[in-house]
Amino acid sequence: MDRDSGPRVRVPEQRAPEKPATTDALRFTVLGPVRAWRGSELLSSGSPQQRALLAALLLREGRTATAGELIDAFWGEEPPSQALATIRTYASRLRKILGQDTLVSESGGYAIRTERTALDLTLAQDLAAEAEKARAAGDRSQARTLINKVLGLWDGEALASVPGPYADNQRTRLEEWRLQLTEARLDLDLEVGCHAEAVSELTALTAAHPLRERLRELLMVALYRSGRQAEALAVYADTRRLLAEELGVDPRPELAQLQQRILRADEELARPADEPAPAPAPLKPAQLPATVPDFTGRSAFVTELGSRLATAESSVMAVSAVAGIGGVGKTTLAVHVAHQARRHFPDGQLYVDLQGAGARAAEPETVLGSFLRALGTADSAIPDTLDERAALYRSTLDGRRILILLDNAHDAAQIRPLLPGTPGCAALVTSRVRMVDLAGAHLVDLDVMSPEEALQLFTRIVGVERVGAEREAALDVVAACGFLPLAIRIAASRLAARRTWTVSVLAAKLADERRRLDELQAGDLAVKATFELGYGQLEPAQARAFRLLGLADGPDISLAAAAALLDLDPHAAEDLLEALVDTSLVESAAPGRYRYHDLVRLYARACAERDEQSPVERELALSRLLDFYLATAAGVYALERPGDRLADHREPTQYSGLTFADRHTAQDWLYTEANSLLACVRQASGPGGVRRAVDLLWATKDLAESGANSKQYEAAAITMRDLARSSDDARAEGRALITLTNARLVAGRFDQAERDAQRAMRLAHAVGDPLPSCWAPNDLGIIALYQNRHAEGEAYLEQAIANFRADGNRPGEASALCNLSRIHLAMGHTTSAVALAQQGIDIYDELGHALRGANGRYALGLALTQSGRLTDATEQLHEALAVFRDSRQRLWEGMATFRLAEVDLAAGLPAQAATKAEQALAVLRGIGGEWRRGNVLTVLGQALNDIGQPGRAAVCWREALDIYEALGSAEVEAVRKLLASTLPA
């Protein structure tokens, strides 16, 4: 077996004269079955021996093969008596197929004359050579792409089914080259930070080539960079033991040195040795917003801030913080200065709106994740905690010259993790507060414009001709605006859009002190006065839309939702919204979606409280929005779960929702609206509102299982439970508890889920609510299954089946049957387990349930696995997996992948099992809870042990044991026995 260092080896090239291209050019493949095409037509290449002749000639790349060479290639040292005649016969047949100009006879032998690009092998050689050049030039991304193209040319085993000693030798040579290319590509994967993704492939390759030390070395590095140091060391231990047993040698020095570096937790090993930062192929972000074309004045501030940024290279931490009231032009100034300073930051510019003026400022860890992605860090390489992300961010910036614009900051604590830590980079911060507690920052207090600057800005927007004719009126306007830039811009924009108005008309409107009182106050109220200028110029219908739309808590709102809130048809609503966009009071987030700046939203709500004659209008607006979301979400739920009784038991709605032609369009709507839906739930109040909000949570259960919205869903469920309890609404509380149970099951917190489900069941019985009466025992049965209380779980699920049948809820009955199947399976009743799962699937299929039918096939796959019907189990689980992926159910995608790993393990395919278990760990990251992670680690350890990596297996089992012990799980003893089996006798 090989003990090589994985040198980058290319198959030698030997060029031959090329033919001019034709429209029906011949193409040949040898990196798989030996085949020939003319254009798109696959040509018959004859018997295996005839394909052997074709392969032998193709592999000579245009050089002539003598008859003797071909006889040796076919038969070696024992050719038949008619060998030469046989060669001539095969050659004659091939010439008829390929043409006499292609297969030529010369010098007592044969040759194939064709274009170099006609053969997949020569094409692969050329691509590999380009990859070498790209890598030598430092273009790792291009090198990876080219090598992947080379590997993509293989179609199984090279020279498949071609007989003869020559073909055998060439097959071995080409397979070795393929392995070397794979090693080179994996090496590049590690250099560009794709270590987590490489682990599963390397695990499979080391199982297939256990003595190939280069693969072991790459696996150790990949595991170490993925934070799995113990497993990396275990790989070395397994390798050392295997080499000693099989070859009687020690690992090569490079592998031993790598082990020592891992033991020392060498920081340099955490990134490519020749790279100064973790991201070996850094991107150059250019995220600055566009500067305004009519930027005016502020010359002293522009010079001051520009000078600070220009000297950032010699500063330890160049930070400038611009403070001032809302609307004073902080962002406009910062963006303008940042654009002028771009030449000093050739490695890029980052930008973020930190939403510091709103109720929910941006979380630093979320911003850091976005910045790291913009800087070229793979998602899998981004750590979870704030401190780890901040450390990686500073490391990524080290040695680079990047400008970071942190706009609309809440306070110094929010931005400290976002600051660069080395010379060359600079941060420009804007905020409503003066950041006196930001050490080392250069503070700039931005005041209103001078009268001259204010008039100049007004003139640039309105036009020289109109302002020149009424200069005194224009001065009155900018004075009434308090020389605040945002106020001037709004007033000027409205005037510019109304050609029938004169400047004097606008000045007269602003002269009314009732419109200027707020402006004359200090602090934040000046911002409100600025918005009043635009609001006061709105038509009545526009003003009503502005007030009411600001009531919704979501980050943005769709046109359809806005129409519901306003009680208008979509066309009328769109006209109003676009008019508000024109006034800069509302932003167009995307086609058909609208949002408020945080401060404008607050102002809109103040207007709603002040200007609406009765709070009833505000309550009705939010009620219509809740109706719209509930009706639409219930329709999505019904598409996913035909026959489910939620439609009959949910709270009625007076406002209809959207309808969808298919489940994929419905899912797109659900996930697009997720944040707005959950915000609407949290905002609900009053008895009717709480009940509808709880039903909206119920109808959006898929958000909990998706992984993307699980935490927000659980938080909303807790809010609704508490609100229902404080309102003494037992029905609403019972349903809220079921949604909370679902969220906690997804998170793997079974004890909490059990308490919630028990209380939900008691409340449901007290008020006679069929929904939680059915689903509470179903959930309790699942929990009992997970906690190995099988008899108790069986009783719960039989109760659930009876309740579902009494309610006529056939999909619910199918769910409970499939869960009961798993209980029977755990009790050793495999025959009944298969039958129960099949009953559930039959119901799902009859009703047309795609997603829930996948859950049934998941249960059936488990039962078939335990009954030994592994092929059938694989088929069911693969079918389920495809649906889970299509439905964006990350939890069940990960679990189905894990169950396929169990099937592979049972089938004696440990290498495949290890690959799938690694994939399951990656999919389940951040969802499913620790208990499920422990299950996957246990199976991964078994697979690794079976492929000869007991050290790494022990690491997985120890981690699983720690999880089970912390949870008090029954799996503790089984894992202890597995660990004991790895100890020396």
Side-chain angles (χ1 to χ4, degrees):
M1 302 295 286
D2 295 313
R3 296 182 68 248
D4 63 88
S5 60
R8 304 185 189 110
V9 178
R10 291 170 50 210
V11 174
E13 303 177 11
Q14 294 176 336
R15 297 179 178 267
E18 298 182 1
K19 290 176 56 179
T22 65
T23 54
D24 293 325
L26 286 166
R27 294 184 293 113
F28 301 94
T29 63
V30 293
L31 300 177
V34 176
R35 289 175 293 200
W37 284 268
R38 188 181 302 280
S40 60
E41 178 191 0
L42 178 64
L43 304 178
S44 172
S45 52
S47 65
Q49 291 77 14
Q50 190 167 304
R51 290 197 301 274
L53 174 61
L54 176 60
L57 296 177
L58 288 171
L59 289 171
R60 279 164 172 76
E61 301 179 31
R63 292 177 292 112
T64 300
T66 66
E69 289 173 335
L70 292 172
I71 290 171
D72 288 342
F74 271 48
W75 296 285
E77 297 180 357
E78 298 180 358
S81 59
Q82 299 298 314
L84 181 58
T86 301
I87 291 291
R88 289 172 175 167
T89 299
Y90 291 149
S92 174
R93 292 173 181 172
L94 281 176
R95 186 178 287 113
K96 290 178 182 179
I97 296 169
L98 303 179
Q100 61 182 3
D101 292 336
T102 301
L103 199 160
V104 299
S105 302
E106 60 182 20
S107 305
Y110 302 94
I112 286 182
R113 303 280 191 243
T114 187
E115 305 160 20
R116 178 171 178 78
T117 56
L119 179 62
D120 60 352
L121 175 58
T122 52
L123 179 59
Q125 291 168 347
D126 293 344
L127 288 170
E130 290 180 34
E132 285 288 332
K133 293 176 183 177
R135 187 168 189 179
D139 191 348
R140 293 170 179 77
S141 177
Q142 177 67 1
R144 286 177 73 214
T145 300
L146 290 168
I147 293 180
N148 277 322
K149 286 184 179 179
V150 176
L151 293 171
L153 292 173
W154 259 268
D155 184 17
E157 182 184 50
L159 306 175
S161 303
V162 174
Y166 177 75
D168 290 340
N169 291 336
Q170 293 299 312
R171 236 186 323 266
T172 301
R173 177 177 71 96
L174 292 171
E175 181 57 28
E176 172 61 22
W177 187 44
R178 185 183 187 181
L179 268 175
Q180 291 172 359
L181 287 167
T182 302
E183 289 172 345
R185 197 258 302 150
L186 285 164
D187 197 13
L188 286 165
D189 287 348
L190 299 185
E191 289 187 21
V192 298
C194 296
H195 36 269
E197 294 87 342
V199 170
S200 59
E201 183 177 359
L202 282 164
T203 297
L205 285 169
T206 53
H209 307 279
L211 296 180
R212 198 172 182 95
E213 290 181 72
R214 178 58 178 159
L215 290 173
R216 300 272 183 155
E217 180 181 344
L218 292 170
L219 177 58
M220 288 172 68
V221 174
L223 287 167
Y224 178 71
R225 291 182 183 168
S226 300
R228 298 159 70 174
Q229 182 180 9
E231 284 187 67
L233 293 170
V235 170
Y236 178 81
D238 290 337
T239 305
R240 183 176 183 181
R241 174 192 53 76
L242 186 66
L243 290 174
E245 291 175 356
E246 297 290 330
L247 303 177
V249 298
D250 290 327
R252 56 193 178 87
E254 292 86 350
L255 207 59
Q257 291 167 8
L258 178 59
Q259 181 218 22
Q260 292 300 312
R261 294 182 70 186
I262 293 174
L263 285 170
R264 295 195 306 269
D266 189 338
E267 293 184 2
E268 290 299 315
L269 188 58
R271 59 176 184 256
D274 59 342
E275 288 294 318
L283 300 178
K284 293 177 64 175
Q287 298 183 341
L288 293 178
T291 187
V292 293
D294 49 25
F295 181 85
T296 302
R298 308 298 201 187
S299 56
F301 292 109
V302 171
T303 301
E304 179 183 355
L305 292 169
S307 298
R308 298 283 301 183
L309 295 178
T311 59
E313 190 172 6
S314 59
S315 304
V316 175
M317 183 175 68
V319 178
S320 296
V322 181
I325 61 172
V328 79
K330 301 181 296 294
T331 299
T332 302
L333 172 64
V335 170
H336 182 77
V337 170
H339 273 284
Q340 287 197 337
R342 286 183 62 182
R343 66 182 184 279
H344 300 298
F345 302 93
D347 296 321
Q349 306 85 39
L350 297 169
Y351 171 85
V352 64
D353 178 3
L354 295 169
Q355 303 172 30
R360 295 185 180 89
E363 295 292 339
E365 53 263 48
T366 302
V367 176
L368 285 169
S370 177
F371 278 358
L372 286 167
R373 292 184 191 95
L375 292 167
T377 306
D379 279 350
S380 59
I382 297 176
D384 293 328
T385 68
L386 172 61
D387 289 343
E388 289 176 323
R389 287 187 177 192
L392 178 57
Y393 170 68
R394 291 190 295 271
S395 298
T396 305
L397 292 178
D398 186 28
R400 302 171 73 179
R401 295 170 62 187
I402 289 180
L403 174 61
I404 301 99
L405 177 46
L406 306 173
D407 194 19
N408 195 10
H410 179 69
D411 54 23
Q414 184 191 28
I415 67 167
R416 284 194 186 97
L418 310 178
L419 298 177
T422 55
C425 294
L428 189 54
V429 183
T430 72
S431 176
R432 294 170 62 195
V433 298
R434 223 171 164 264
M435 298 201 174
V436 294
D437 54 345
L438 190 60
H442 174 67
L443 303 182
V444 174
D445 293 324
L446 192 60
D447 203 350
V448 297
M449 284 181 155
S450 68
E452 294 77 16
E453 289 177 335
L455 183 60
Q456 185 180 4
L457 174 60
F458 185 81
T459 303
R460 287 189 173 182
I461 298 172
V462 174
V464 174
E465 183 177 349
R466 293 176 77 183
V467 174
E470 299 181 273
R471 179 178 173 81
E472 291 301 319
L475 287 171
D476 290 340
V477 169
V478 296
C481 290
F483 310 111
L484 201 64
L486 182 57
I488 297 167
R489 184 173 295 280
I490 292 174
S493 297
R494 297 301 293 164
L495 182 59
R498 286 162 170 77
R499 303 303 300 178
T500 59
W501 283 16
T502 63
V503 181
S504 297
V505 169
L506 179 60
K509 289 177 177 292
L510 297 179
D512 186 348
E513 290 187 355
R514 292 172 301 174
R515 298 183 182 277
R516 293 174 51 214
L517 290 177
D518 289 343
E519 179 188 356
L520 298 176
Q521 298 179 26
D524 292 343
L525 292 178
V527 178
K528 184 176 179 182
T530 302
F531 297 143
E532 185 74 39
L533 293 171
Y535 176 68
Q537 297 174 21
L538 297 178
E539 302 296 335
Q542 296 171 353
R544 173 181 177 270
F546 175 73
R547 292 192 301 269
L548 295 183
L549 287 170
L551 298 173
D553 267 350
D556 61 3
I557 191 167
S558 68
L559 175 59
L565 185 146
L566 297 172
D567 198 18
L568 296 172
D569 69 76
H571 293 297
E574 184 176 23
D575 289 342
L576 290 175
L577 285 163
E578 289 300 324
L580 293 175
V581 171
D582 289 341
T583 66
S584 300
L585 290 172
V586 171
E587 299 175 20
S588 178
R593 300 197 73 83
Y594 301 89
R595 68 185 175 205
Y596 283 84
H597 184 281
D598 293 336
L599 292 176
V600 180
R601 186 196 301 276
L602 293 176
Y603 173 72
R605 290 180 176 180
C607 291
E609 294 176 5
R610 181 191 67 191
D611 297 344
E612 293 297 336
Q613 293 181 353
S614 166
V616 172
E617 175 68 4
R618 302 198 299 272
E619 294 169 4
L620 287 174
L622 290 175
S623 180
R624 289 191 296 268
L625 180 64
L626 180 56
D627 269 5
F628 167 78
Y629 281 142
L630 175 55
T632 307
V636 175
Y637 186 92
L639 273 177
E640 288 285 5
R641 301 165 175 81
D644 190 277
R645 293 299 308 282
L646 174 66
D648 304 299
H649 297 312
R650 71 172 175 86
E651 285 290 297
T653 55
Q654 297 181 3
Y655 199 96
S656 61
L658 300 175
T659 56
F660 303 100
D662 57 80
R663 56 185 292 266
H664 292 98
T665 308
Q667 281 182 344
D668 289 341
W669 178 88
L670 177 64
Y671 289 105
T672 299
E673 296 288 346
N675 290 326
S676 297
L677 289 168
L678 296 176
C680 185
V681 167
R682 292 192 297 268
Q683 199 174 7
S685 62
V690 171
R691 287 193 172 191
R692 282 179 291 152
V694 169
D695 286 349
L696 176 55
L697 265 184
W698 194 297
T700 56
K701 278 183 176 181
D702 287 348
L703 296 178
E705 296 182 4
S706 70
N709 305 98
S710 302
K711 292 181 180 178
Q712 300 95 313
Y713 185 93
E714 183 176 358
I718 291 172
T719 299
M720 285 298 100
R721 177 204 63 188
D722 294 345
L723 189 55
R725 188 173 296 173
S726 65
S727 304
D728 199 25
D729 188 337
R731 171 177 161 169
E733 183 185 352
R735 293 190 181 190
L737 284 166
I738 292 298
T739 66
L740 188 54
T741 298
N742 186 56
R744 286 173 168 166
L745 278 171
V746 169
R749 296 194 293 275
F750 304 130
D751 290 339
Q752 291 178 340
E754 183 176 19
R755 288 194 296 270
D756 292 332
Q758 290 282 9
R759 179 168 173 80
M761 190 160 62
R762 291 194 298 270
L763 291 170
H765 289 164
V767 299
D769 188 358
L771 279 180
S773 293
C774 294
W775 288 102
N778 186 66
D779 291 343
L780 286 166
I782 297 171
I783 295 165
L785 167 68
Y786 290 156
Q787 296 183 336
N788 296 303
R789 295 181 279 115
H790 302 138
E792 187 178 343
E794 185 177 26
Y796 277 130
L797 288 167
E798 287 175 348
Q799 178 185 349
I801 292 170
N803 292 354
F804 279 126
R805 286 173 176 166
D807 189 42
N809 192 332
R810 298 197 68 209
E813 177 189 348
S815 173
L817 285 167
C818 293
N819 291 329
L820 184 59
S821 164
R822 296 185 61 184
I823 288 281
H824 278 223
L825 190 64
M827 298 170 73
H829 309 323
T830 53
T831 301
S832 61
V834 171
L836 286 165
Q838 190 60 59
Q839 287 179 46
I841 291 173
D842 291 343
I843 294 174
Y844 282 137
D845 288 350
E846 179 186 342
L847 295 172
H849 272 252
L851 176 56
R852 298 307 140 191
N855 288 117
R857 287 173 172 78
Y858 175 88
L860 180 57
L862 301 186
L864 292 170
T865 301
Q866 194 157 315
S867 63
R869 295 165 59 184
L870 302 184
T871 301
D872 293 339
T874 299
E875 180 181 348
Q876 294 295 325
L877 289 170
H878 271 300
E879 191 172 341
L881 177 60
V883 176
F884 291 143
R885 282 178 177 159
D886 183 58
S887 302
R888 311 179 204 182
Q889 295 295 297
R890 193 154 61 89
L891 170 65
W892 291 110
E893 178 189 346
M895 291 305 297
T897 305
F898 160 60
R899 297 303 185 182
L900 283 166
E902 289 186 317
V903 175
D904 285 339
L905 197 61
L909 302 170
Q912 294 183 25
T915 299
K916 289 187 176 69
E918 286 282 4
Q919 292 169 351
L921 282 177
V923 173
L924 291 172
R925 182 178 179 183
I927 191 173
E930 288 297 283
W931 180 75
R932 291 185 177 94
R933 177 176 172 80
N935 293 345
V936 180
L937 286 167
T938 302
V939 168
L940 176 58
Q942 291 171 302
L944 292 171
N945 192 56
D946 288 352
I947 61 175
Q949 299 185 25
R952 190 175 161 204
V955 172
C956 293
W957 288 334
R958 277 194 290 271
E959 185 176 349
L961 181 61
D962 290 342
I963 291 171
Y964 292 144
E965 287 178 340
L967 296 174
S969 301
E971 291 84 359
V972 165
E973 289 305 318
V975 177
R976 283 178 178 159
K977 289 180 181 179
L978 289 172
L979 275 169
S981 69
T982 65
L983 299 175

